[in-house]
Each structure stands twice: as C-alpha cells, then as structure tokens.
Short mmCIF file of all heavy atoms in Angstrom, two decimals:
data_model
loop_
_atom_site.label_atom_id
_atom_site.label_comp_id
_atom_site.label_asym_id
_atom_site.label_seq_id
_atom_site.Cartn_x
_atom_site.Cartn_y
_atom_site.Cartn_z
N PRO A 240 76.53 126.58 113.98
CA PRO A 240 75.38 126.30 113.14
C PRO A 240 75.81 126.58 111.56
O PRO A 240 75.10 126.23 110.77
CB PRO A 240 74.39 127.25 113.61
CG PRO A 240 75.03 128.37 114.33
CD PRO A 240 76.20 127.68 114.98
N LYS A 241 76.93 127.25 111.41
CA LYS A 241 77.34 127.71 110.11
C LYS A 241 77.69 126.57 109.21
O LYS A 241 77.52 126.52 107.89
CB LYS A 241 78.32 128.75 110.08
CG LYS A 241 78.61 129.45 108.67
CD LYS A 241 79.51 130.56 108.80
CE LYS A 241 79.93 131.22 107.54
NZ LYS A 241 80.85 132.24 107.57
N TYR A 242 78.47 125.62 109.81
CA TYR A 242 78.96 124.45 109.13
C TYR A 242 78.70 123.23 109.89
O TYR A 242 78.60 123.20 111.01
CB TYR A 242 80.52 124.51 109.03
CG TYR A 242 81.00 125.78 108.22
CD1 TYR A 242 81.63 126.84 108.71
CD2 TYR A 242 80.68 125.83 106.80
CE1 TYR A 242 82.06 127.85 108.13
CE2 TYR A 242 81.03 126.90 106.12
CZ TYR A 242 81.81 128.00 106.77
OH TYR A 242 82.21 129.11 106.07
N ALA A 243 78.42 122.15 109.11
CA ALA A 243 78.33 120.71 109.64
C ALA A 243 79.68 120.13 109.81
O ALA A 243 80.60 120.53 109.30
CB ALA A 243 77.45 119.89 108.73
N THR A 244 79.77 119.16 110.77
CA THR A 244 80.97 118.63 111.01
C THR A 244 81.25 117.44 109.95
O THR A 244 80.41 116.63 109.78
CB THR A 244 81.03 117.90 112.44
OG1 THR A 244 80.76 119.00 113.35
CG2 THR A 244 82.29 117.19 112.72
N LEU A 245 82.35 117.49 109.36
CA LEU A 245 82.79 116.36 108.44
C LEU A 245 83.26 115.21 109.21
O LEU A 245 84.26 115.24 109.81
CB LEU A 245 83.68 116.97 107.40
CG LEU A 245 83.26 117.79 106.32
CD1 LEU A 245 84.50 118.22 105.50
CD2 LEU A 245 82.33 117.13 105.37
N VAL A 246 82.56 114.04 109.11
CA VAL A 246 83.09 112.77 109.72
C VAL A 246 83.70 111.88 108.62
O VAL A 246 84.23 110.80 108.91
CB VAL A 246 81.93 112.07 110.51
CG1 VAL A 246 81.50 112.93 111.58
CG2 VAL A 246 80.77 111.70 109.48
N LYS A 247 83.76 112.43 107.39
CA LYS A 247 84.61 111.70 106.21
C LYS A 247 84.68 112.80 105.26
O LYS A 247 84.14 113.87 105.23
CB LYS A 247 83.84 110.54 105.85
CG LYS A 247 82.45 110.85 105.09
CD LYS A 247 81.71 109.63 104.51
CE LYS A 247 80.41 109.86 103.80
NZ LYS A 247 79.87 108.75 103.28
N ASP A 248 85.74 112.47 104.31
CA ASP A 248 86.00 113.41 103.22
C ASP A 248 84.67 113.59 102.43
O ASP A 248 83.88 112.70 102.15
CB ASP A 248 87.02 112.92 102.40
CG ASP A 248 88.33 112.93 102.96
OD1 ASP A 248 88.49 113.47 104.09
OD2 ASP A 248 89.28 112.30 102.37
N ASP A 249 84.42 114.90 101.98
CA ASP A 249 83.21 115.20 101.18
C ASP A 249 83.25 114.52 99.94
O ASP A 249 84.00 114.76 98.99
CB ASP A 249 83.07 116.75 101.03
CG ASP A 249 81.76 117.13 100.52
OD1 ASP A 249 81.16 116.34 99.76
OD2 ASP A 249 81.36 118.28 100.73
N PRO A 250 82.38 113.61 99.59
CA PRO A 250 82.43 112.83 98.34
C PRO A 250 82.11 113.68 97.03
O PRO A 250 82.60 113.30 95.98
CB PRO A 250 81.37 111.71 98.44
CG PRO A 250 80.27 112.24 99.43
CD PRO A 250 81.23 113.03 100.36
N ASP A 251 81.46 114.85 97.19
CA ASP A 251 81.29 115.68 96.07
C ASP A 251 82.56 116.24 95.51
O ASP A 251 82.61 116.70 94.28
CB ASP A 251 80.30 116.75 96.52
CG ASP A 251 78.87 116.26 96.79
OD1 ASP A 251 78.52 115.17 96.19
OD2 ASP A 251 78.09 117.01 97.46
N TYR A 252 83.55 116.42 96.46
CA TYR A 252 84.99 116.99 96.07
C TYR A 252 85.94 115.93 96.04
O TYR A 252 87.12 116.30 95.72
CB TYR A 252 85.16 118.21 96.95
CG TYR A 252 84.30 119.25 96.86
CD1 TYR A 252 83.09 119.32 97.62
CD2 TYR A 252 84.46 120.34 95.95
CE1 TYR A 252 82.33 120.50 97.53
CE2 TYR A 252 83.66 121.35 95.94
CZ TYR A 252 82.45 121.48 96.58
OH TYR A 252 81.61 122.51 96.52
N ASN A 253 85.66 114.75 96.47
CA ASN A 253 86.76 113.66 96.48
C ASN A 253 86.10 112.29 95.79
O ASN A 253 85.84 111.54 96.53
CB ASN A 253 87.14 113.47 97.87
CG ASN A 253 87.88 114.54 98.57
OD1 ASN A 253 88.97 114.87 98.40
ND2 ASN A 253 87.03 115.35 99.24
N LYS A 254 85.89 112.43 94.61
CA LYS A 254 85.23 111.39 93.89
C LYS A 254 86.09 110.08 93.85
O LYS A 254 87.36 110.16 93.92
CB LYS A 254 84.85 111.75 92.42
CG LYS A 254 85.96 111.71 91.50
CD LYS A 254 85.47 112.01 90.03
CE LYS A 254 86.52 111.97 88.94
NZ LYS A 254 86.12 112.11 87.68
N ARG A 255 85.41 109.03 93.79
CA ARG A 255 86.16 107.65 93.67
C ARG A 255 86.57 107.48 92.24
O ARG A 255 85.60 107.30 91.40
CB ARG A 255 85.21 106.57 94.26
CG ARG A 255 86.02 105.18 94.24
CD ARG A 255 85.09 104.16 94.68
NE ARG A 255 84.55 104.41 96.07
CZ ARG A 255 83.52 103.73 96.68
NH1 ARG A 255 83.07 102.76 95.89
NH2 ARG A 255 83.16 103.99 97.71
N TYR A 256 87.80 107.28 91.88
CA TYR A 256 88.25 107.00 90.48
C TYR A 256 88.15 105.51 90.28
O TYR A 256 87.95 104.65 91.18
CB TYR A 256 89.66 107.45 90.33
CG TYR A 256 89.76 108.96 90.23
CD1 TYR A 256 89.73 109.74 91.41
CD2 TYR A 256 89.85 109.69 89.05
CE1 TYR A 256 89.79 111.10 91.38
CE2 TYR A 256 89.83 111.07 89.03
CZ TYR A 256 89.94 111.79 90.19
OH TYR A 256 89.95 113.17 90.13
N SER A 257 88.20 105.07 88.99
CA SER A 257 87.98 103.62 88.55
C SER A 257 88.96 102.75 89.24
O SER A 257 90.06 103.12 89.49
CB SER A 257 87.99 103.61 87.11
OG SER A 257 89.21 103.80 86.57
N VAL A 258 88.64 101.54 89.36
CA VAL A 258 89.53 100.52 89.83
C VAL A 258 90.63 100.35 88.98
O VAL A 258 91.93 100.17 89.46
CB VAL A 258 88.68 99.16 89.88
CG1 VAL A 258 89.68 97.98 90.40
CG2 VAL A 258 87.72 99.17 91.09
N GLY A 259 90.42 100.32 87.66
CA GLY A 259 91.46 100.23 86.72
C GLY A 259 92.61 101.26 86.77
O GLY A 259 93.73 101.00 86.79
N LEU A 260 92.11 102.63 86.92
CA LEU A 260 92.97 103.62 87.04
C LEU A 260 93.84 103.57 88.23
O LEU A 260 95.05 103.85 88.29
CB LEU A 260 92.27 104.95 86.96
CG LEU A 260 93.06 106.22 87.35
CD1 LEU A 260 94.09 106.48 86.06
CD2 LEU A 260 92.21 107.44 87.34
N THR A 261 93.18 103.23 89.32
CA THR A 261 93.81 103.10 90.66
C THR A 261 94.89 102.00 90.67
O THR A 261 95.96 102.18 91.16
CB THR A 261 92.82 103.02 91.76
OG1 THR A 261 91.82 104.14 91.68
CG2 THR A 261 93.54 103.03 93.11
N ALA A 262 94.45 100.90 90.18
CA ALA A 262 95.29 99.75 90.17
C ALA A 262 96.61 100.02 89.17
O ALA A 262 97.72 99.56 89.61
CB ALA A 262 94.61 98.48 89.61
N GLY A 263 96.38 100.80 88.09
CA GLY A 263 97.44 101.11 87.32
C GLY A 263 98.41 102.16 87.98
O GLY A 263 99.62 102.00 87.75
N ARG A 264 97.97 102.92 88.88
CA ARG A 264 98.80 103.96 89.67
C ARG A 264 99.63 103.09 90.71
O ARG A 264 100.78 103.45 90.92
CB ARG A 264 98.06 105.04 90.25
CG ARG A 264 97.55 106.02 89.12
CD ARG A 264 96.76 107.13 89.68
NE ARG A 264 96.57 108.19 88.66
CZ ARG A 264 95.83 109.24 88.71
NH1 ARG A 264 95.22 109.47 89.91
NH2 ARG A 264 95.67 110.17 87.75
N VAL A 265 98.98 102.06 91.24
CA VAL A 265 99.83 101.23 92.14
C VAL A 265 100.84 100.49 91.43
O VAL A 265 101.97 100.31 91.97
CB VAL A 265 98.78 100.22 92.91
CG1 VAL A 265 99.52 99.09 93.60
CG2 VAL A 265 97.81 100.92 93.81
N LEU A 266 100.61 99.93 90.32
CA LEU A 266 101.55 99.38 89.44
C LEU A 266 102.70 100.21 89.05
O LEU A 266 103.86 99.90 89.17
CB LEU A 266 100.87 98.71 88.21
CG LEU A 266 101.85 98.12 87.03
CD1 LEU A 266 102.54 96.93 87.73
CD2 LEU A 266 101.13 97.64 85.84
N MET A 267 102.29 101.61 88.88
CA MET A 267 103.47 102.61 88.47
C MET A 267 104.34 102.76 89.69
O MET A 267 105.58 103.06 89.56
CB MET A 267 102.75 103.76 88.04
CG MET A 267 102.29 103.75 86.51
SD MET A 267 103.58 103.26 85.37
CE MET A 267 104.87 104.49 85.61
N THR A 268 103.72 102.75 90.90
CA THR A 268 104.53 102.83 92.11
C THR A 268 105.49 101.85 92.14
O THR A 268 106.80 101.97 92.50
CB THR A 268 103.53 102.74 93.34
OG1 THR A 268 102.59 103.88 93.34
CG2 THR A 268 104.34 102.86 94.63
N ASN A 269 105.13 100.48 91.86
CA ASN A 269 106.06 99.27 91.82
C ASN A 269 107.21 99.53 90.80
O ASN A 269 108.46 99.34 90.98
CB ASN A 269 105.31 98.11 91.61
CG ASN A 269 104.85 97.46 92.86
OD1 ASN A 269 105.39 97.69 94.03
ND2 ASN A 269 103.92 96.45 92.82
N ILE A 270 106.76 99.99 89.54
CA ILE A 270 107.74 100.25 88.48
C ILE A 270 108.83 101.29 88.97
O ILE A 270 109.95 101.21 88.60
CB ILE A 270 107.00 100.53 87.24
CG1 ILE A 270 106.13 99.38 86.72
CG2 ILE A 270 107.85 101.04 86.15
CD1 ILE A 270 105.32 99.68 85.62
N THR A 271 108.31 102.33 89.58
CA THR A 271 109.11 103.42 89.94
C THR A 271 110.16 102.91 90.91
O THR A 271 111.39 103.16 91.01
CB THR A 271 108.32 104.63 90.47
OG1 THR A 271 107.43 105.04 89.40
CG2 THR A 271 109.28 105.75 90.91
N ASN A 272 109.62 102.14 91.85
CA ASN A 272 110.52 101.81 93.10
C ASN A 272 111.57 100.76 92.47
O ASN A 272 112.74 100.81 92.81
CB ASN A 272 109.70 100.98 94.09
CG ASN A 272 108.92 101.99 94.96
OD1 ASN A 272 109.27 103.12 94.98
ND2 ASN A 272 108.00 101.44 95.61
N TRP A 273 111.19 99.89 91.58
CA TRP A 273 111.99 98.96 91.00
C TRP A 273 113.10 99.68 90.11
O TRP A 273 114.36 99.40 90.25
CB TRP A 273 111.27 97.98 90.05
CG TRP A 273 112.19 97.17 89.17
CD1 TRP A 273 112.84 96.04 89.55
CD2 TRP A 273 112.52 97.44 87.81
NE1 TRP A 273 113.75 95.59 88.61
CE2 TRP A 273 113.42 96.45 87.42
CE3 TRP A 273 112.23 98.41 86.91
CZ2 TRP A 273 114.03 96.40 86.16
CZ3 TRP A 273 112.73 98.45 85.61
CH2 TRP A 273 113.60 97.33 85.27
N ALA A 274 112.63 100.66 89.32
CA ALA A 274 113.63 101.38 88.47
C ALA A 274 114.64 102.13 89.31
O ALA A 274 116.01 102.04 88.98
CB ALA A 274 112.92 102.42 87.62
N ILE A 275 114.35 102.67 90.43
CA ILE A 275 115.28 103.40 91.29
C ILE A 275 116.26 102.28 91.81
O ILE A 275 117.47 102.52 91.94
CB ILE A 275 114.63 104.10 92.37
CG1 ILE A 275 113.72 105.25 91.93
CG2 ILE A 275 115.62 104.63 93.46
CD1 ILE A 275 112.90 105.88 92.85
N ALA A 276 115.80 101.20 92.37
CA ALA A 276 116.67 100.14 92.87
C ALA A 276 117.53 99.58 91.82
O ALA A 276 118.78 99.26 92.12
CB ALA A 276 115.76 99.01 93.42
N ARG A 277 117.04 99.43 90.58
CA ARG A 277 117.92 98.75 89.61
C ARG A 277 118.81 99.64 88.93
O ARG A 277 119.98 99.29 88.69
CB ARG A 277 116.87 98.26 88.56
CG ARG A 277 117.45 97.86 87.14
CD ARG A 277 118.43 96.62 87.32
NE ARG A 277 118.93 96.23 86.01
CZ ARG A 277 119.92 96.64 85.43
NH1 ARG A 277 120.68 97.75 85.97
NH2 ARG A 277 120.32 96.27 84.26
N TYR A 278 118.51 100.88 88.55
CA TYR A 278 119.37 101.74 87.81
C TYR A 278 120.02 102.75 88.61
O TYR A 278 121.08 103.30 88.11
CB TYR A 278 118.47 102.36 86.57
CG TYR A 278 117.99 101.36 85.68
CD1 TYR A 278 116.64 101.07 85.66
CD2 TYR A 278 118.83 100.76 84.89
CE1 TYR A 278 116.11 100.11 84.81
CE2 TYR A 278 118.37 99.84 83.97
CZ TYR A 278 116.98 99.56 83.90
OH TYR A 278 116.55 98.65 82.92
N ILE A 279 119.56 103.07 89.84
CA ILE A 279 120.38 104.06 90.64
C ILE A 279 121.15 103.40 91.65
O ILE A 279 122.50 103.66 91.75
CB ILE A 279 119.29 105.08 91.26
CG1 ILE A 279 118.71 105.85 90.18
CG2 ILE A 279 120.09 106.13 92.24
CD1 ILE A 279 117.56 106.90 90.64
N TYR A 280 120.53 102.45 92.51
CA TYR A 280 121.26 101.86 93.49
C TYR A 280 121.96 100.58 93.09
O TYR A 280 122.86 99.97 93.76
CB TYR A 280 120.33 101.51 94.76
CG TYR A 280 119.92 102.82 95.36
CD1 TYR A 280 118.54 103.30 95.30
CD2 TYR A 280 120.78 103.54 96.31
CE1 TYR A 280 118.14 104.42 95.88
CE2 TYR A 280 120.37 104.67 96.84
CZ TYR A 280 119.12 105.17 96.69
OH TYR A 280 118.72 106.27 97.37
N LYS A 281 121.45 100.05 91.84
CA LYS A 281 122.00 98.84 91.30
C LYS A 281 122.01 97.62 92.42
O LYS A 281 122.96 96.91 92.42
CB LYS A 281 123.37 99.01 90.85
CG LYS A 281 123.40 100.10 89.74
CD LYS A 281 124.89 100.28 89.15
CE LYS A 281 124.87 101.52 88.18
NZ LYS A 281 123.92 101.26 86.99
N PHE A 282 120.88 97.44 93.09
CA PHE A 282 120.82 96.33 93.93
C PHE A 282 120.71 94.99 93.17
O PHE A 282 120.06 94.85 92.20
CB PHE A 282 119.61 96.53 94.84
CG PHE A 282 119.65 97.50 95.89
CD1 PHE A 282 118.52 98.45 96.03
CD2 PHE A 282 120.61 97.67 96.70
CE1 PHE A 282 118.60 99.42 96.93
CE2 PHE A 282 120.81 98.73 97.59
CZ PHE A 282 119.67 99.67 97.67
N ASP A 283 121.27 93.93 93.78
CA ASP A 283 121.35 92.73 93.12
C ASP A 283 119.99 92.10 92.89
O ASP A 283 119.64 91.53 91.87
CB ASP A 283 122.25 91.65 93.80
CG ASP A 283 123.69 91.98 93.83
OD1 ASP A 283 124.08 92.75 92.86
OD2 ASP A 283 124.54 91.56 94.76
N TRP A 284 119.15 92.32 93.87
CA TRP A 284 117.79 91.66 93.95
C TRP A 284 116.91 92.22 92.88
O TRP A 284 115.94 91.71 92.39
CB TRP A 284 117.11 91.66 95.25
CG TRP A 284 117.12 93.00 95.87
CD1 TRP A 284 117.83 93.52 96.83
CD2 TRP A 284 116.13 94.12 95.56
NE1 TRP A 284 117.63 94.82 97.17
CE2 TRP A 284 116.51 95.19 96.42
CE3 TRP A 284 115.10 94.25 94.66
CZ2 TRP A 284 115.85 96.45 96.42
CZ3 TRP A 284 114.47 95.53 94.71
CH2 TRP A 284 114.80 96.49 95.48
N ALA A 285 117.38 93.42 92.31
CA ALA A 285 116.47 94.15 91.31
C ALA A 285 116.74 93.70 89.83
O ALA A 285 116.10 94.28 88.90
CB ALA A 285 116.70 95.69 91.48
N TYR A 286 117.72 92.91 89.62
CA TYR A 286 118.03 92.41 88.17
C TYR A 286 116.99 91.23 87.85
O TYR A 286 117.15 90.07 88.13
CB TYR A 286 119.37 91.96 88.17
CG TYR A 286 120.36 93.01 88.15
CD1 TYR A 286 120.70 93.71 89.28
CD2 TYR A 286 120.98 93.47 86.93
CE1 TYR A 286 121.63 94.85 89.26
CE2 TYR A 286 121.95 94.61 86.98
CZ TYR A 286 122.24 95.16 88.16
OH TYR A 286 123.13 96.21 88.04
N ILE A 287 115.97 91.58 87.42
CA ILE A 287 114.73 90.71 87.17
C ILE A 287 114.70 90.40 85.57
O ILE A 287 115.18 91.23 84.76
CB ILE A 287 113.46 91.23 87.67
CG1 ILE A 287 113.10 92.50 87.03
CG2 ILE A 287 113.61 91.24 89.13
CD1 ILE A 287 111.79 93.06 87.53
#
C-alpha cells in the first residue's frame, strides 16, 4: 500500500521534450556516426 505500481515512466519526472530538439539530437547521431566513418575509419562510402 505504500507505493503504486508504475506501468509507465512517471511523466512528472520524465517530461516530453520538443519535436525540434529531439529531431536535432537524432540528426547529431547521424553526424557523429558519419564523422567516425569518414575521419577515423575512412570508409569509401562516407566520402559524401
């Protein structure tokens, strides 16, 4: 009885950030992956 069961993350402590911010972070994931492939591993397909 002390605590309720969480069937999803508590939204009061896990707020939803804006679509733009989230999309920007997805884009940064791509940029990071590409930079590693291009400048560290020097894969042919990464020369864009």
Side-chain angles (χ1 to χ4, degrees):
K241 187 174 181 180
Y242 298 112
T244 299
L245 282 177
V246 295
K247 63 178 181 179
D248 292 350
D249 189 331
D251 292 337
Y252 294 89
N253 297 280
K254 74 173 186 177
R255 184 185 304 170
Y256 290 80
S257 70
V258 170
L260 175 64
T261 305
R264 288 181 171 176
V265 171
L266 178 60
M267 285 304 302
T268 300
N269 272 341
I270 293 173
T271 302
N272 287 341
W273 169 80
I275 292 171
R277 168 64 176 84
Y278 294 107
I279 296 179
Y280 293 105
K281 301 184 185 300
F282 292 131
D283 291 340
W284 51 259
Y286 286 76
I287 58 175

